Amino acid sequence: PTGGLVQYILDGLFTYQLITANISASTLEGEGPQAFLIQYTAEDTPGPVVNLSLNILSASEIEVSWSPALEPNGIIQYYLVTVRLYEGTTVYSSNVSIVNLSVTVTSLEKEIPYEVIVVAINGAPVDGIPTEILFFTEEGIPPSPSNVDSTRLNGTHIQVTWERIPLTLSRGFIQTYIISYEKLNRRKRQVMTMLVSADVNSGIISGLDPTALYEVSVAATTAISTGNFSEGIISNRPNTLMFQVRVGPFESCDDSSEESIKAVIQSAVEDAIIENCECNFDASYISGEIIICSRESSNAVYRANITEYNTFTAGQLLDIIEQWVSGSPSVISGTMEVTFDSTCSVAFETNDNICGAFSPSPSVSSTEESPTQRESNNNSGIIIGVVIAVVLAVVVVTVVIVIICVVLLKRKKKWKVSEDITRSGRNNTELNHVLYNTMYGSKE
């Protein structure tokens, strides 16, 4: 060209790359003198520092160290180190020389979450990519989770939910949550636990007794310790009803044969439910079984509890049993054949004697008294209390009467002694008067 600006674009270069160029003009006569160009491409945002680490010196002091960024994208001028409260305000900030690669931070507090952030700074208009670590100088015991709740999914499963403890309140990194569940049993205490991950807020307990009540609570753990469990929540059992069937006749219905008879009846009832409900009925939903043998008539009454299962209520399961029994079915098991009595009402209330003489009824739970049993026990307790009160009253009255009698006897003795003394004094006075008259004569 005869004049003007000549441009040539080089592409495929790297950030902050050194470029050298030789430029000359040439004609038919030859090449002119060369011009030399030495130039770096522009700096760009530096990459993150590597190997960022913390050395906890004490509950109030840490040492932060790191290695240079693998992609400086220019000349690193310094490192910006910042320590701030987790999602909060900055408590420390410093520009650290590139020759140090470490810094000590003081005046921190234990059980408080902090973030340390290191950024490489070069000549680019935008700061480098930050590298950060979340830390506690010293962890503590976590608080109890809040908003704990439980849902009885079915007889054997309970879903427990809670609100995860926020890091600002956790006093350390939550490692796990512990679900505690206890079957309510007045005779002995058996507490069981299960662990769940720290990043969830629910858990499902399985393998439970369908007819039992359970108390559940939740606690959190840190590297230091397990915190207190939340206040216990009672997970109600599913609806449970009592039922009975009468079977017979037997060659022998006594203590030695009761268990085998009970097994045959229970198996037959379970098979009838499975066949009619078209469901995979779980045998554990029948509980508290008892067998009552009648030695005179060689028959037996089987009583138990049945708990709602999946979509079937206890009442619906009871209807299935009653409809099946209404056909007077016969069941053969080995050498034993029994027939179910259709005249015996399947549904019954505690202490009813629909099928024969009065016999004990199954408790609503094998570990918990039924409401009627509790009422009976309460009434017994009231009667015993009244009897004790009457006996105590009689004893008190008797003691009072004895004390009064003793006091009156003592007073009577005192009166007699006083009277004797008075009489004696009077006699002495008369005697003295006679002697005086004898010796000195009467004054009259």
Side-chain angles (χ1 to χ4, degrees), residues 239-251:
N239 183 31
T240 299
L241 296 175
M242 293 177 290
F243 74 96
Q244 66 181 357
V245 291
R246 182 164 59 186
V247 296
F250 301 100
E251 293 182 2

Side-chain angles (χ1 to χ4, degrees), residues 26 70 74 103 135 146 194 204 210 221 250 254 257 259 273 294 297 362 374 377-378 405 421 423:
S26 62
L70 298 179
V103 67
F135 70 96
S146 59
M194 63 175 288
I204 295 179
T221 64
F250 301 100
D254 51 31
S257 60
E259 287 302 318
I273 294 174
S294 173
S297 56
R374 285 196 296 270
N377 290 340
N378 291 338
C405 292
I421 292 173
R423 185 181 299 111

Side-chain angles (χ1 to χ4, degrees), residues 281-296:
F281 183 74
D282 189 337
S284 64
Y285 283 66
I286 294 179
S287 61
E289 309 90 338
I290 61 172
I291 192 79
I292 309 158
C293 279
S294 173
R295 293 168 175 78
E296 294 78 12

Side-chain angles (χ1 to χ4, degrees), residues 315-344:
Q316 290 173 325
L317 295 174
L318 212 63
D319 292 340
I320 291 176
I321 299 174
E322 191 158 16
Q323 184 176 3
W324 176 72
V325 170
S326 65
S328 300
S330 295
V331 176
I332 300 175
S333 177
T335 59
M336 183 183 301
E337 180 177 1
V338 297
T339 301
F340 286 78
D341 185 356
S342 60
T343 64
C344 176

Side-chain angles (χ1 to χ4, degrees), residues 18-38:
L18 177 62
I19 304 297
T20 61
N22 299 327
I23 303 173
S24 64
S26 62
T27 64
L28 294 176
E29 298 295 330
E31 183 177 341
Q34 292 184 345
F36 296 95
L37 175 66
I38 300 176

Side-chain angles (χ1 to χ4, degrees), residues 87-148:
E87 297 182 348
T89 58
T90 298
V91 297
Y92 174 88
S93 182
S94 177
N95 297 335
V96 181
S97 170
I98 61 174
V99 299
N100 288 334
L101 298 181
S102 68
V103 67
T104 299
V105 182
T106 60
S107 301
L108 303 178
E109 297 181 32
K110 65 179 181 180
E111 302 180 7
I112 300 294
Y114 293 98
E115 294 175 291
V116 58
I117 305 167
V118 179
V119 178
I121 305 296
N122 59 15
V126 179
D127 293 344
I129 299 174
T131 302
E132 58 188 68
I133 293 179
L134 187 62
F135 70 96
F136 288 83
T137 59
E138 183 178 311
E139 296 190 41
I141 300 174
S144 302
S146 59
N147 297 327
V148 178

Side-chain angles (χ1 to χ4, degrees), residues 158-235:
I158 295 176
Q159 182 180 42
V160 185
T161 60
W162 61 91
E163 186 175 321
R164 292 172 57 193
I165 303 173
L167 192 61
T168 53
L169 301 176
S170 63
R171 303 172 192 159
F173 294 109
I174 301 299
Q175 296 184 336
T176 59
Y177 287 102
I178 303 177
I179 300 176
S180 169
Y181 57 104
E182 178 184 0
K183 182 178 180 180
L184 296 185
N185 187 335
R186 291 186 178 88
R187 291 173 292 181
K188 62 180 180 179
R189 186 175 185 186
Q190 183 180 9
V191 179
M192 294 161 286
T193 59
M194 63 175 288
L195 301 180
V196 296
S197 173
D199 58 357
V200 301
N201 65 339
S202 66
I204 295 179
I205 308 170
S206 60
L208 304 177
D209 181 348
T211 63
L213 292 173
Y214 285 86
E215 183 177 15
V216 299
S217 57
V218 183
T221 64
T222 63
I224 297 298
S225 180
T226 299
N228 293 328
F229 279 88
S230 61
E231 184 178 352
I233 294 179
I234 304 300
S235 179

